[in-house]
Amino acid sequence: MKKAFPYTIFPLGDSALVLEFGDEIDLELNQHIQHIFKKIKQANLNYVTDAVPAYATLAVFYNLLEVPYDREKSSFETVAEKLRVIVENSRSVDIAKEKKIIEIPVCYSLKFGIDLTELAQKNKMDIAELITIHFSTVYYVFMIGFLPGFAYMGEVDASIATPRRSTPRQEVAAGSVGIAGKQTGIYPFSSPGGWNIIGRTPIQLFKKNAEPPMLLQQGDKIKFFSITEDEYKNYKGRHI
Amino acid sequence: MSIKIIKAGIFDSVQDNGRLGYQHLGINPGGVIDSFSAQLANAILGKEFTGPLLELHFPASKIRFTNSNIICISAADFSPYIDGVPVELNHPLMVKSNSVLEFKKRVSGTWCYIAFLKTLVVNKWLGSYSTHTKVVAGGKEGRILETGDVIETTSEINTSQHFNWKTPPLDFSSKEIEFITGSEWNYLSDESKYNFEHCFFCITSSSDRMGYRLSGVTLDAIQKQELLSSAVSMGTVQLLPNGQLIVLMADHQTTGGYPKVAHVVSSSLSLLAQKSMQDIIDFKLISLQEAEEKFIKRQRYLQHIQEECKARMKALGIE
């Protein structure tokens, strides 16, 4: 028996809606959402312009001018009904093929890991221990959002999970690896940000002319490995 | 065949209707911040809505037309002059080679559009000409326009024909911004819900293409729990931890974790986009069905203008 995932549908403005399957970080739930995301893509509905899977939700954007007109109901209802059919027919989740683990080098030096000291203190351990815990886990990419190619990965071991900084930084350098709650992530671009920064990867995560333009996709498994500052310099400009 | 930016404005860029279909990769649609006005500019020239155009902010770029072209300026009124002569908005304009377009003062609105009959030749990235400054892609080298920039046009056109059509000026004076409730509307206390609907909010100076930050009465959430990140949309009104609101605009991030208390409806986004610092807005609740109908009606109007103007251009032998 497959687990049933109850959901609700509500509008996200007048040209999008959200299928909400829950409000927690859960691997099985997230894989179910990915499965539905693929089914919606495959259905190739001419009025669907974008579909955005997240942790526990899937947003679908549509072009109101293309939605089949029905005087009895709103376009939202028309789209919601169509999507309900797709979800109902997507019960059997094909067991995701064992994905290859993508390995990502990280230089966990104090120069790059600007919050290492604070994080180690907060979590009452030494820095080396914190780093080891971070790179010993295989992480799963739950969603992409915030910035182009920014992967929300989890879950971070409870012993090093740390809330976002109360005041976000004006600028976090591209390649920075951070922790926010039970999530870990890498900034593909320099950006303002509130995650606790523990290191930096020399890997370019987003290449605008590549297809797809980004290294990490929802559903990927990734593992970090530690490199020295010298190794970091030699990696510079190289891709996986 | 080209145009040249002889003096750059402060935030002028090449845009189109945006980059659809990539939000699952964290790539936001971007595109023009006032879609209605931008489409109108193209429609008056009888052109497709999807072509690239210039989006200008005041003070705006001063532009030399190296070659003759037919353009339409729409939306915000920045007092456009061509070779020292004031010109009309929402009307096709014959621009001779070597003439100079400049904008003297802001009369109304915040964003102005220039559509070109002989199209701009600019970079397309993931199906769109919109400038993505973070990725540095699309438009003119993925950045805002700079002094000295030359943008090619497909060809040139010269005519002595008179264009006997224009559309009424767009009126951005109304304060009324229509909204529908968001999924976290019920996070607001009853008093805050009342205040949202009945108090004025002011556009603050920290507003840009990403979002318009509002100042006004502090709203409180009865539920304080942190939300999991999920998709947001242009027009989404988020409640920030300090009790103030932000309305997400064209360059918004794809996902967010703040409570989504409301959504500005699509048919009000043009009006909101054209508000500027210190302007007052007044939120008005409408139903989802009304919101859908209003948007469809506005798009049908644009389609009508486009078909009509296309036929008129054709009748003048211009294509």
Side-chain angles (χ1 to χ4, degrees):
Chain A
M1 265 293 279
K2 280 283 155 201
K3 198 166 148 188
F5 292 99
Y7 63 99
T8 54
I9 303 186
F10 52 80
L12 179 74
D14 55 29
S15 302
L17 55 74
V18 177
L19 307 170
E20 188 181 74
F21 295 85
D23 58 359
E24 56 191 29
I25 301 180
D26 180 89
L27 186 66
E28 218 180 325
L29 178 73
N30 191 261
Q31 283 173 337
H32 179 64
I33 287 167
Q34 277 182 65
H35 176 66
I36 306 233
F37 168 69
K38 283 185 192 124
K39 292 284 176 189
I40 290 173
K41 285 270 174 191
Q42 282 163 13
N44 226 347
L45 303 168
N46 67 322
Y47 48 83
V48 170
T49 55
D50 254 308
V52 191
Y55 278 109
T57 58
L58 174 59
V60 177
F61 291 75
Y62 47 89
N63 180 349
L64 281 174
L65 296 175
E66 303 281 346
V67 176
Y69 180 70
D70 185 337
R71 56 186 294 180
E72 301 294 318
K73 50 179 180 275
S74 64
S75 300
F76 163 75
E77 263 309 316
T78 303
V79 179
E81 254 169 48
K82 182 73 191 173
L83 295 178
R84 272 188 206 107
V85 175
I86 294 176
V87 175
E88 293 315 310
N89 294 334
S90 309
R91 285 276 179 221
S92 60
V93 181
D94 38 347
I95 301 303
K97 278 182 221 101
E98 206 45 46
K99 282 218 173 188
K100 207 177 104 213
I101 294 173
I102 300 169
E103 298 204 36
I104 296 180
V106 178
C107 177
Y108 294 94
S109 70
L110 292 175
K111 179 179 161 195
F112 296 138
I114 47 182
D115 296 324
L116 274 173
T117 312
E118 199 182 314
L119 234 59
Q121 270 167 10
K122 273 187 188 167
N123 293 299
K124 299 185 178 63
M125 58 177 72
D126 59 44
I127 290 173
E129 196 182 346
L130 185 140
I131 292 167
T132 308
I133 294 172
H134 186 257
F135 70 63
S136 300
T137 307
V138 174
Y139 298 105
Y140 171 83
V141 178
F142 281 94
M143 61 176 279
I144 308 286
F146 168 47
L147 289 171
F150 186 99
Y152 289 79
M153 298 176 273
E155 289 182 62
V156 166
D157 191 88
S159 64
I160 60 167
T162 317
R164 279 184 180 80
R165 299 173 59 78
S166 51
T167 313
R169 287 195 171 84
Q170 285 296 320
E171 184 158 320
V172 174
S176 292
V177 176
I179 290 177
K182 287 175 147 187
Q183 311 166 103
T184 185
I186 312 166
Y187 285 79
F189 297 93
S190 70
S191 152
W195 292 36
N196 303 287
I197 304 305
I198 57 168
R200 196 181 295 177
T201 180
I203 297 291
Q204 195 186 342
L205 288 131
F206 193 96
K207 284 179 276 179
K208 64 184 175 188
N209 296 321
E211 180 53 46
M214 54 219 274
L215 180 64
L216 303 176
Q217 309 274 331
Q218 192 191 26
D220 281 348
K221 284 179 178 168
I222 81 125
K223 197 169 186 300
F224 297 108
F225 64 96
S226 177
I227 57 169
T228 64
E229 276 192 29
D230 273 349
E231 285 169 319
Y232 178 93
K233 279 183 209 136
N234 295 331
Y235 253 103
K236 210 69 186 134
R238 285 212 284 156
H239 318 308
I240 282 183
Chain B
M1 260 75 68
S2 63
I3 61 165
K4 185 174 182 182
I5 308 298
I6 47 182
K7 187 170 187 298
I10 53 166
F11 208 84
D12 298 347
S13 61
V14 175
Q15 299 291 345
D16 66 6
N17 271 340
R19 194 166 277 117
L20 300 178
Y22 296 94
Q23 290 197 72
H24 63 290
L25 303 179
I27 300 164
N28 65 311
V32 289
I33 193 167
D34 175 356
S35 166
F36 178 82
S37 301
Q39 291 180 85
L40 181 65
N42 271 324
I44 290 168
L45 298 178
K47 285 179 66 92
E48 294 302 317
F49 295 133
T50 47
L53 27 67
L54 294 187
E55 180 177 90
L56 312 178
H57 191 281
F58 197 81
S61 295
K62 189 171 178 180
I63 302 165
R64 168 173 287 126
F65 290 78
T66 318
N67 303 86
S68 55
N69 207 334
I70 296 168
I71 64 168
C72 177
I73 306 171
S74 179
D77 183 355
F78 296 161
S79 311
Y81 281 71
I82 294 178
D83 290 337
V85 180
V87 292
E88 279 187 287
L89 273 73
N90 306 321
H91 173 66
L93 302 167
M94 177 66 227
V95 187
K96 296 202 167 58
S97 64
N98 280 317
S99 52
V100 173
L101 167 66
E102 61 187 321
F103 297 88
K104 298 211 167 168
K105 73 170 202 284
R106 192 177 84 87
V107 178
S108 70
T110 298
W111 302 96
C112 168
Y113 294 94
I114 309 175
F116 300 80
L117 188 77
K118 295 302 174 188
T119 309
L120 301 176
V121 180
V122 285
N123 299 122
K124 202 172 195 173
W125 180 61
L126 301 180
S128 166
Y129 300 107
S130 291
T131 304
H132 200 301
T133 52
K134 180 65 82 180
V135 174
V136 193
K140 178 66 181 174
E141 296 165 23
R143 56 165 172 77
I144 62 170
L145 299 178
E146 290 171 2
T147 299
D149 277 350
V150 173
I151 303 176
E152 303 290 321
T153 55
T154 49
S155 56
E156 61 182 343
I157 183 163
N158 222 326
T159 179
S160 53
Q161 296 282 8
H162 177 64
F163 304 105
N164 64 343
W165 68 89
K166 61 178 178 182
T167 61
L170 298 170
D171 181 1
F172 303 120
S173 60
S174 170
K175 292 181 179 61
E176 211 165 77
I177 300 293
E178 294 175 329
F179 78 98
I180 60 172
T181 56
S183 46
E184 282 82 54
W185 173 250
N186 285 327
Y187 276 38
L188 294 175
S189 65
D190 285 345
E191 189 191 348
S192 288
K193 281 180 191 166
Y194 181 89
N195 287 339
F196 187 97
E197 277 196 77
H198 295 92
C199 292
F200 289 140
F201 291 87
C202 181
I203 312 275
T204 69
S205 58
S206 43
S207 298
D208 55 22
R209 277 182 47 90
M210 285 181 76
Y212 283 12
R213 281 174 186 266
L214 309 181
S215 70
V217 56
T218 303
L219 304 175
D220 36 71
I222 43 178
Q223 257 171 296
K224 295 270 184 199
Q225 88 207 49
E226 216 173 291
L227 295 163
L228 286 180
S229 282
S230 68
V232 292
S233 168
M234 182 166 173
T236 296
V237 187
Q238 292 179 321
L239 177 66
L240 301 176
N242 65 0
Q244 298 294 318
L245 301 169
I246 182 168
V247 189
L248 303 180
M249 299 303 276
D251 281 344
H252 66 82
Q253 296 167 357
T254 54
T255 58
Y258 293 126
K260 297 177 276 285
V261 294
H263 301 277
V264 172
V265 303
S266 297
S267 59
S268 276
L269 284 173
S270 163
L271 177 61
L272 177 64
Q274 295 294 347
K275 296 290 173 198
S276 56
M277 196 168 42
Q278 291 181 349
D279 279 351
I280 298 294
I281 62 167
D282 183 9
F283 286 115
K284 185 187 168 216
L285 180 66
I286 65 168
S287 73
L288 175 58
Q289 204 145 353
E290 276 177 277
E292 290 178 353
E293 281 161 12
K294 285 188 175 197
F295 174 75
I296 290 170
K297 197 174 155 203
R298 276 166 78 89
Q299 288 301 120
R300 297 267 182 256
Y301 167 78
L302 287 172
Q303 282 171 352
H304 168 75
I305 301 269
Q306 183 203 41
E307 281 159 26
E308 178 70 24
C309 296
K310 196 174 176 182
R312 290 188 184 206
M313 281 287 185
K314 207 172 170 189
L316 296 178
I318 298 165
E319 273 173 90

